[in-house]
Amino acid sequence: MTESSGEQMLHKEYWDLTYVSGPLVFLQNARRFPTGAILNIHLENGESRQGQVLEATTTHAVVQVLQGTVGIDVKGTSVSLRDDAARVACSPDVIGRRFNGVGQPIDGLPPVVPEKELEISGSAINPVSRAQPNDFIETGVSAIDGFNTLVRGQKLPIFLGSGLPGNELANLIVQNAGTTRAEEQFVIVFGAMGITAREAQYFLRAFDEGGQGGRVVAFLNQADDPAIERLFTPRCALTVAEYLAFEKDYQVLVILTDMTNYCEALRQVSSAREEIPGRRGYPGYMYTDLSTIYERAGRIRGKQGSVTQIPMLTMPDDDITHPIPDLTGYITEGQIVLGRGLHRQGIFPPVDILPCLSRLMNNGIGKDKTEEFHREWANQLYAAYAQGTNVRKLMAIVGEDALTELDRKYLAFANAFEREMTGQGFSRRALSQTFEIGWKLLGMLPKEELTRINKKTIDSYYTPIMEDGLHSPFMDEVPSAM
Amino acid sequence: MAVAVQEQTTGKLVRISGPMIEADEMLGVGMGEIVRVGKLGLMGEVIRIDGDKVYAQVFESTEGMFLGEPVVATGAPLCVELGPGLLGATFDGIQRPLEDLRQSSGDFIGRGITAVALDREKKWPFAPRVTPGQAVLGGDILGVTQETRVIEHRILVPPRMTGVIAWVAPEGEYTVTDVIARLEDGTELRMMHRSPVKQGRPFAKKLLLDTPFLTGQRVLDCLFPIAMGGSAIVPGGFGTGKTVVEQSISKFCNAQVIVYVGCGERGNEMTEVLSEFPHLEDPNTGESLMSRTILVVNTSNMPVAARDASVYTGMTLAEYYRDQGYDCALMADSTSRWAEALREISSRLEEMPGEEGYPTYLSARIAEFYERTGRVVCCGVLADSETPRIGSLTAVGAVSPPGGDYSEPVTQTSQRVSGAVWALDAALAYRRHYPSVNWNRSYSLYFDALKPWFEQHGPANWITLRQEAMTLLQRDAEMQEVVQLVGPDALQDAERLVLEIARMLREMFLQQNAFSKSDMFCGLEKMGGLLDILLNFHEACRETLKREVPLSRVLDLPIREEISRLRDMSNEEFPAKKADVQERMKQALAGLQAH
């Protein structure tokens, strides 16, 4: 029914505009278009833009204009129906292509001949249809593989601060996570919202250099592109990702960057609609809105493919309690957090493991997947590192002399941990090597301290190093920079 | 049901704004009534009436609708179906079985699908418990059917009904819609009945709470126990382990029926429950956990208005089993998402906002919700007799404060109306101290009422042991402050001993591994034993220090590690092992010399 009425309206133009403000225009006759419809907006000078109907009341319909309202007037501008909902062209041919933030090609090639045109708003995966994500993805990053394991179908964001090498970390993950079993097909869907040309180029070049270029579908909305389009970009990317994963059996890794820009666009529309603002002016429904993006990851029973999401966001002022990282953390299955202190010390990747988490880690590790001791091993290293950083704080107040002998061991441990475990440099590290370094580090602590590890495991793997425990077992290999 | 067929009120859509719509020409439609919206017939609930215009929140996405589409009144408020077949099922917020939705619309949830909650085809063996001529009241048991191997489902006379049984079906197999009894006034009773969700089901009276709701989690059962029929909230920032706590409680608590409401949370978490629970054993009965569990799932990306419905749906299902005389528990994860749904709808209604944009009626709603818990005498003719039927409903609500800041309205309001707060702490979670319950910020108001029970049924000296443990933690907190100023070296040996024992208490008692078979569930006996040996050790060490043995030698004893490892013993192995370790501990300490 929508279609038949749609047909009639499709090319019919209406001079309905009554009000223009910020990214919004109001139409006086709201009965013509369904909510969610995509309209063509024809400017008097011949230019054409797109808008989406957000709300309809008896007096007016609210339309957000994707490319901004500059130049639109209420006399000469007309609207016509383009589509009854926002859609994106899906076909296996999208792989290797580049699109703008709303799915139009920008690589100079003709538009993709769609096998399907799917609504970008998507629908929720029925929770009973979901399959439990439990396939370990080896990223080659110790801080992730060892302590916050990524599994297929997970959504694991990277929280970074301005100036921290988040892109480089994402790239490192992409280069390694792409290794799949022989019979599987892998594809990267890259959704960029409001990133600079420099960042966009960095990613695209990195994909090419890593040999992934042909396996990338990119949706690029750059900083100088219309801000409202950013609201469509992640949804286009995820619609294509779901299509490739659940209809074409691909293992899909979705990188979304930068979610902070997305949220700002959301706030912009919300304030133009004069909605009651929530924390820091972001709309009260931002949690729900973000969840309709992040929840589009996972596996489905009986299907081969999977959608794994790595959204990236910049924490304003490194504040993890800011609404954007906060709401994200409530939805995603863990988070990887970068620390400025580590970065300043020249440690790469500067992953601050303490606030990091992977909620699905337990499903991806253990016997037959990684190592049987993996969980205990990680718990012990976590606990010891936390203790070490506590001692470091204490030392800043009371001085080193006031520390007990055990405290000093913990301090040495924490320092060695950051240098040896976290700071692996821009290279892949095998999981077995991560484990080996971990056991070496644990060797710096007395056996009685290792209460998180099963006795049997300790007997087989623990070797105490350096009786006094104050020196790093790595001293011989790496000259101390302290 | 004998409802006169009336012409349905049909109006037209005049406004569509996200999950909220307005329709006119709806005169006579009541507040809270369910309407069918648009050509797809989406379910909506009336939340405001203005003359002949009604405002409704819609439980599905309104995208693609046109103004002018029809809105049809149904004449009834939001109801759930109650009858055998609820246990083990997974419903969405408006009680549609998710498995049925999957069959009709595939792996992604489509719109405008209707599905009934209870299987209409399945036959249940029914055994009558009333005879013709018997007078019955709402809440009386008409008959029973074995719903799962553990739960006998008691078919109740619907609330607020009275009459005399004219006919009752003989023992046999019936579907939920077959008539199984008739009253003298002609009313037909079936195995299933409907109940509105936003109104609490009636009970005869509330009782004092004097039995503990045991969770198998040491830090909760020992330090902050709640009562059967009580309520607790679990506030915590992201990553502090709210969901693991909620899941652990639903796995191991001593309630007989669990309703788990996933409200506005992750889809994969529900998958985890669905794939784990059928394979886990109920520690109290040995049966599969799923046979005592009902899941109500409305994930964060499912329609926001249905979140509001989901908590009430869950509550009503739990009340229904309470009315049958069972101890029920409602887990709500997370109530903050429900509050956010209220906020979103309120803002669409352009209501004057209260704190942080939440509606001013937020606290009233939360209070009403938690007040539906309790231990009650169930309705029925036996209510005033010597042997009334007693049921209870305990609620544990997760709260997700933005930025981990507890001063926000949802945490504050929930704190006021719930009887216990199990505050989760990000700093503990960072250290992988789970459950990350902060013992300084948490509290339970039930302990005094539960004292007599613990004295009678708890482990030996429970009250004293618990008090000593609390004191130890308090002294530890004070001394940590001193250490922060002057360093640990400045402390006396006896004081440093306190720090060490407190550390052991944290590591071997307060921490619990939800993923280890032997540690995930801890019985009261083992809890008492662990505390006992630890406090004994403290005492014995103090004695040893008095003999001028240096602390470092005491701490170096290998027996210390053995004490710590006692927590890895299963509940069965524990007593023997504990006796052995305790004996050797005494010897080891006695053997220490001053020089």
Side-chain angles (χ1 to χ4, degrees):
Chain A
M1 80 220 128
T2 4
E3 264 168 28
S4 61
S5 49
E7 293 281 309
Q8 295 159 13
M9 294 185 302
L10 204 52
H11 299 294
K12 205 159 171 194
E13 287 186 39
Y14 301 97
W15 277 262
D16 263 357
L17 265 66
T18 56
Y19 175 89
V20 186
S21 164
L24 304 180
V25 298
F26 286 17
L27 309 180
Q28 61 182 355
N29 190 337
R31 288 181 174 247
R32 302 191 207 279
F33 310 114
T35 47
I38 298 294
L39 308 181
N40 275 327
I41 300 166
H42 312 280
L43 274 65
E44 218 165 8
N45 62 8
E47 193 191 332
S48 176
R49 294 182 193 174
Q50 279 78 51
Q52 183 173 34
V53 181
L54 294 180
E55 186 178 335
T57 72
T58 35
T59 52
H60 62 269
V62 181
V63 176
Q64 66 177 0
V65 183
L66 273 60
Q67 293 84 6
T69 51
V70 175
I72 290 182
D73 68 275
V74 295
K75 182 167 161 280
T77 307
S78 67
V79 292
S80 63
L81 183 74
R82 180 189 176 94
D83 204 337
D84 62 343
R87 291 170 200 275
V88 65
C90 292
S91 145
D93 298 339
V94 296
I95 299 170
R97 300 288 308 267
R98 283 183 205 173
F99 303 94
N100 71 2
V102 289
Q104 292 154 342
I106 50 168
D107 49 8
L109 296 171
V112 172
V113 180
E115 184 185 289
K116 279 189 174 171
E117 292 210 309
L118 296 175
E119 284 189 33
I120 65 165
S121 54
S123 333
I125 300 179
N126 188 330
V128 299
S129 289
R130 282 180 183 269
Q132 203 173 18
N134 51 15
D135 270 342
F136 170 66
I137 298 181
E138 188 164 352
T139 63
V141 180
S142 289
I144 297 176
D145 292 348
F147 303 92
N148 299 286
T149 315
L150 177 67
V151 296
R152 269 194 196 156
Q154 185 173 14
K155 36 193 183 289
L156 187 65
I158 300 176
F159 291 1
L160 43 117
S162 313
L164 296 183
N167 295 347
E168 287 76 5
L169 175 61
N171 183 24
L172 188 58
I173 296 171
V174 167
Q175 302 306 342
N176 294 308
T179 49
T180 46
R181 288 169 217 134
E183 72 281 8
E184 290 174 342
Q185 301 166 290
F186 174 75
V187 65
I188 299 166
V189 175
F190 180 64
M193 287 83 70
I195 64 170
T196 59
R198 179 179 48 76
E199 289 170 298
Q201 275 159 10
Y202 171 82
F203 272 109
L204 295 173
R205 206 174 54 219
F207 293 150
D208 281 339
E209 282 171 4
Q212 311 276 24
R215 297 196 279 184
V216 174
V217 189
F219 290 88
L220 299 173
N221 167 283
Q222 295 189 8
D224 53 354
D225 288 333
I228 307 303
E229 284 189 9
R230 278 162 213 168
L231 299 175
F232 290 70
T233 311
R235 296 192 165 85
C236 288
L238 287 163
T239 305
V240 166
E242 284 175 345
Y243 164 82
L244 291 173
F246 303 130
E247 295 191 27
K248 300 291 164 197
D249 295 342
Y250 279 90
Q251 307 301 331
V252 186
L253 178 65
V254 183
I255 310 265
L256 298 174
T257 181
D258 180 322
M259 290 304 292
T260 303
N261 296 334
Y262 170 87
C263 293
E264 277 172 1
L266 194 69
R267 175 167 69 175
Q268 196 183 334
V269 173
S270 168
S271 84
R273 293 175 76 180
E274 296 176 3
E275 291 169 334
I276 296 162
R279 283 169 72 214
R280 302 219 183 176
Y282 292 97
Y285 51 79
M286 191 157 85
Y287 175 84
T288 308
D289 189 274
L290 284 174
S291 76
T292 60
I293 294 175
Y294 297 141
E295 274 290 319
R296 293 173 78 175
R299 292 171 61 221
I300 288 181
R301 282 198 274 153
K303 304 251 164 124
Q304 299 299 314
S306 64
V307 178
T308 309
Q309 250 191 63
I310 303 188
M312 298 173 51
L313 59 89
T314 309
M315 297 182 284
D317 196 25
D318 292 358
D319 177 9
I320 199 170
T321 67
H322 183 281
I324 298 172
D326 190 52
L327 295 180
T328 299
Y330 274 121
I331 306 166
T332 53
E333 283 140 354
Q335 64 278 337
I336 302 295
V337 185
L338 301 192
R340 200 167 291 279
L342 293 170
H343 179 59
R344 287 211 188 101
Q345 289 174 51
I347 288 168
F348 181 86
V351 178
D352 181 3
I353 67 156
L354 293 182
C356 293
L357 177 72
S358 164
R359 290 169 197 271
L360 302 183
M361 177 167 177
N362 288 324
N363 302 337
I365 63 169
K367 211 174 164 189
D368 302 328
K369 289 178 178 165
T370 55
E371 288 283 354
E372 197 173 356
F373 60 70
H374 195 154
R375 180 81 258 177
E376 306 169 71
W377 173 92
N379 279 351
Q380 185 67 63
L381 283 162
Y382 248 109
Y385 179 59
Q387 178 65 20
T389 53
N390 275 352
V391 173
R392 194 185 284 160
K393 277 180 221 148
L394 180 63
M395 186 180 75
I397 303 165
V398 300
E400 198 173 348
D401 291 346
L403 298 181
T404 63
E405 196 189 320
L406 184 63
D407 283 346
R408 281 175 223 194
K409 285 184 186 170
Y410 272 111
L411 186 62
F413 169 88
N415 291 335
F417 184 92
E418 289 169 3
R419 211 170 48 238
E420 306 300 332
M421 183 65 92
T422 313
Q424 67 183 78
F426 196 92
S427 63
R428 182 171 196 278
R429 185 186 273 163
L431 183 65
S432 55
Q433 212 183 338
T434 300
F435 285 135
E436 197 181 309
I437 295 172
W439 285 117
K440 257 192 191 175
L441 287 166
L442 289 176
M444 298 171 70
L445 297 172
K447 191 170 141 201
E448 306 80 66
E449 288 297 305
L450 310 186
T451 53
R452 302 294 187 91
I453 305 183
N454 187 305
K455 208 163 178 156
K456 229 167 63 199
T457 317
I458 290 196
D459 292 343
S460 357
Y461 294 95
Y462 172 81
T463 5
I465 295 167
M466 294 265 190
E467 278 302 287
D468 64 2
L470 295 180
H471 298 99
S472 157
F474 306 96
M475 281 301 186
D476 304 338
E477 299 150 36
V478 186
S480 170
M482 289 175 55
Chain B
M1 268 175 238
V3 179
V5 181
Q6 288 175 345
E7 201 169 307
Q8 288 171 312
T9 311
T10 303
K12 284 196 168 53
L13 269 177
V14 295
R15 180 177 166 211
I16 307 162
S17 169
M20 203 206 64
I21 59 109
E22 284 175 43
D24 60 6
E25 301 167 26
M26 296 291 282
L27 207 60
V29 173
M31 193 72 169
E33 192 170 324
I34 293 296
V35 291
R36 292 281 176 182
V37 180
K39 293 180 181 156
L40 285 172
L42 308 182
M43 253 170 102
E45 182 188 20
V46 175
I47 47 175
R48 178 188 277 175
I49 301 172
D50 178 3
D52 74 339
K53 196 156 77 176
V54 299
Y55 296 62
Q57 54 175 345
V58 184
F59 298 130
E60 294 179 68
S61 162
T62 56
E63 254 182 43
M65 284 195 172
F66 282 89
L67 292 186
E69 286 193 36
V71 176
V72 183
T74 62
L78 183 61
C79 287
V80 284
E81 292 187 355
L82 302 171
L86 293 170
L87 291 173
T90 307
F91 299 108
D92 76 352
I94 46 178
Q95 216 205 5
R96 295 180 300 182
L98 285 173
E99 197 54 56
D100 290 9
L101 293 190
R102 178 170 182 241
Q103 271 154 26
S104 52
S105 85
D107 295 328
F108 292 85
I109 297 178
R111 288 195 296 156
I113 309 165
T114 45
V116 288
L118 296 175
D119 189 338
R120 296 292 192 264
E121 309 291 321
K122 182 162 178 170
K123 293 203 166 192
W124 296 91
F126 171 77
R129 287 286 184 273
V130 288
T131 45
Q134 191 177 333
V136 291
L137 288 176
D140 276 334
I141 299 173
L142 285 172
V144 298
T145 181
Q146 203 65 36
E147 186 173 3
T148 66
R149 282 173 63 182
V150 231
I151 300 290
E152 173 195 74
H153 194 109
R154 296 156 189 162
I155 312 292
L156 304 179
V157 178
R160 302 181 188 88
M161 196 178 274
T162 55
V164 177
I165 298 284
W167 170 83
V168 63
E171 194 159 339
E173 300 211 324
Y174 301 92
T175 68
V176 289
T177 48
D178 288 338
V179 176
I180 46 144
R182 198 171 294 119
L183 300 184
E184 282 183 350
D185 64 2
T187 310
E188 293 179 332
L189 301 175
R190 297 170 170 81
M191 274 215 237
M192 164 200 126
H193 69 270
R194 287 195 177 83
S195 210
V197 298
K198 297 228 165 150
Q199 225 177 340
R201 283 174 62 89
F203 50 84
K205 66 172 177 224
K206 281 203 176 182
L207 298 170
L208 287 178
L209 308 179
D210 54 13
T211 339
F213 173 82
L214 296 173
T215 63
Q217 310 300 305
R218 285 185 291 267
V219 60
L220 305 182
D221 290 350
C222 174
L223 299 185
F224 314 108
I226 63 167
M228 201 65 103
S231 59
I233 63 164
V234 188
F238 65 82
T240 49
K242 289 183 298 297
T243 301
V244 179
V245 169
E246 291 265 350
Q247 287 185 4
S248 295
I249 296 174
S250 38
K251 284 175 195 166
F252 305 119
C253 72
N254 58 346
Q256 292 159 297
V257 172
I258 317 284
V259 180
Y260 193 103
V261 183
C263 172
E265 290 286 307
R266 305 175 184 88
N268 276 335
E269 276 169 8
M270 289 298 124
T271 316
E272 214 166 278
V273 173
L274 287 171
S275 54
E276 266 184 28
F277 276 33
H279 309 293
L280 285 174
E281 264 181 25
D282 176 353
N284 306 299
T285 62
E287 287 297 318
S288 154
L289 270 184
M290 213 51 208
S291 64
R292 69 164 191 180
T293 310
I294 305 172
L295 294 175
V296 179
V297 181
N298 187 77
T299 58
S300 54
N301 56 342
M302 282 156 79
V304 68
R307 265 186 227 165
D308 179 43
S310 68
V311 290
Y312 290 108
T313 295
M315 189 54 105
T316 312
L317 296 180
E319 279 178 342
Y320 176 58
Y321 282 91
R322 173 202 71 187
D323 291 347
Q324 294 176 39
Y326 291 111
D327 290 321
C328 305
L330 178 83
M331 303 286 141
D333 184 13
S334 156
T335 58
S336 293
R337 305 302 163 219
W338 165 46
E340 280 165 13
L342 292 178
R343 173 167 72 183
E344 181 166 350
I345 302 293
S346 162
S347 109
R348 304 258 180 198
L349 282 173
E350 290 164 8
E351 292 172 335
M352 185 69 81
E355 235 176 307
E356 294 199 17
Y358 285 106
T360 45
Y361 46 81
L362 174 75
S363 56
R365 292 280 169 88
I366 290 180
E368 277 165 21
F369 174 77
Y370 283 107
E371 273 310 285
R372 284 173 75 170
T373 59
R375 190 160 157 268
V376 304
V377 170
C378 307
C379 288
V381 287
L382 289 177
D384 295 321
S385 72
E386 293 285 299
T387 52
R389 191 165 72 246
I390 291 173
S392 74
L393 202 175
T394 311
V396 178
V399 181
S400 319
D405 171 13
Y406 288 8
S407 68
E408 60 93 36
V410 184
T411 315
Q412 284 304 313
T413 312
S414 306
Q415 220 164 10
R416 280 208 305 276
V417 292
S418 67
V421 173
W422 296 331
L424 304 189
D425 187 335
L428 291 175
Y430 287 176
R431 253 182 272 161
R432 296 307 188 251
H433 174 119
Y434 290 123
S436 65
V437 176
N438 180 318
W439 48 93
N440 294 318
R441 292 180 81 169
S442 303
Y443 62 83
S444 164
L445 302 176
Y446 299 107
F447 184 74
D448 287 335
L450 295 175
K451 249 184 188 167
W453 190 95
F454 279 117
E455 271 162 2
Q456 218 178 339
H457 308 280
N461 301 324
W462 181 248
I463 308 292
T464 332
L465 290 174
R466 174 182 179 273
Q467 192 49 54
E468 276 183 41
M470 297 276 263
T471 314
L472 192 65
L473 289 170
Q474 182 54 37
R475 284 196 62 199
D476 177 53
E478 290 163 8
M479 246 168 327
Q480 290 291 355
E481 281 174 25
V482 178
V483 170
Q484 291 297 324
L485 294 173
V486 296
D489 259 8
L491 296 181
Q492 305 288 322
D493 269 4
E495 291 170 329
R496 280 182 49 204
L497 177 67
V498 171
L499 290 184
E500 281 304 322
I501 301 289
R503 192 162 87 112
M504 286 174 75
L505 180 68
R506 289 199 301 268
E507 287 176 2
M508 66 179 260
F509 191 78
L510 299 183
Q511 279 180 27
Q512 196 164 346
N513 188 343
F515 305 100
S516 143
K517 268 215 160 58
S518 52
D519 198 30
M520 49 172 56
F521 169 77
C522 186
L524 274 187
E525 282 311 311
K526 181 174 161 190
M527 264 181 227
L530 280 173
L531 269 192
D532 183 58
I533 192 165
L534 181 66
L535 296 170
N536 261 319
F537 179 61
H538 186 195
E539 189 50 43
C541 290
R542 263 206 309 237
E543 292 303 319
T544 316
L545 291 185
K546 280 185 197 152
R547 289 191 281 118
E548 301 198 349
V549 178
L551 179 65
S552 58
R553 301 204 26 216
V554 174
L555 296 181
D556 279 346
L557 286 177
I559 195 76
R560 191 162 76 104
E561 198 191 334
E562 283 197 61
I563 296 174
S564 300
R565 292 200 182 277
L566 276 176
R567 72 164 208 182
D568 297 328
M569 298 291 127
S570 70
N571 291 299
E572 294 75 34
E573 300 167 309
F574 179 78
K577 184 77 183 168
K578 182 212 162 197
D580 168 52
V581 173
Q582 189 145 7
E583 192 48 45
R584 284 190 290 122
M585 171 190 93
K586 280 185 197 144
Q587 289 166 6
L589 283 169
L592 283 182
Q593 301 300 320
H595 298 290

